[in-house]
Amino acid sequence: MKQRKDERMQIYLHNLTNETPFCINCKHFYRHYQDNLKPMNCGHCCYPRLKMRECYGTCEQFTNKHQGGKQS
């Protein structure tokens, strides 16, 4: 069953681990920062094309940057 956006946000805020298959843990995700270097909860994905993503987003192209392996 696919998680709703609010469910993913709660996991991101309270139970995030390096194995959680969210954009924040993907090697294709680049986080955005404010001018004062404070991290934002969004960024962009560069695979297979450039697109905006939230840190707690998910997609089929997820590749864990901590393990280097493909997650399903």
Side-chain angles (χ1 to χ4, degrees), residues 1 6 15 24-25 28-29 33-34 51 54-56 62 70:
M1 185 173 180
D6 61 329
N15 299 318
I24 192 71
N25 290 327
H28 306 295
F29 180 77
Y33 292 85
Q34 296 177 1
K51 55 201 167 289
E54 295 169 323
C55 289
Y56 49 86
F62 177 80
K70 178 83 174 176

Side-chain angles (χ1 to χ4, degrees), residues 11-12 15-26 62 64:
I11 292 170
Y12 172 72
N15 299 318
L16 184 67
T17 66
N18 287 344
E19 292 78 35
T20 307
F22 289 170
C23 290
I24 192 71
N25 290 327
C26 184
F62 177 80
N64 193 318

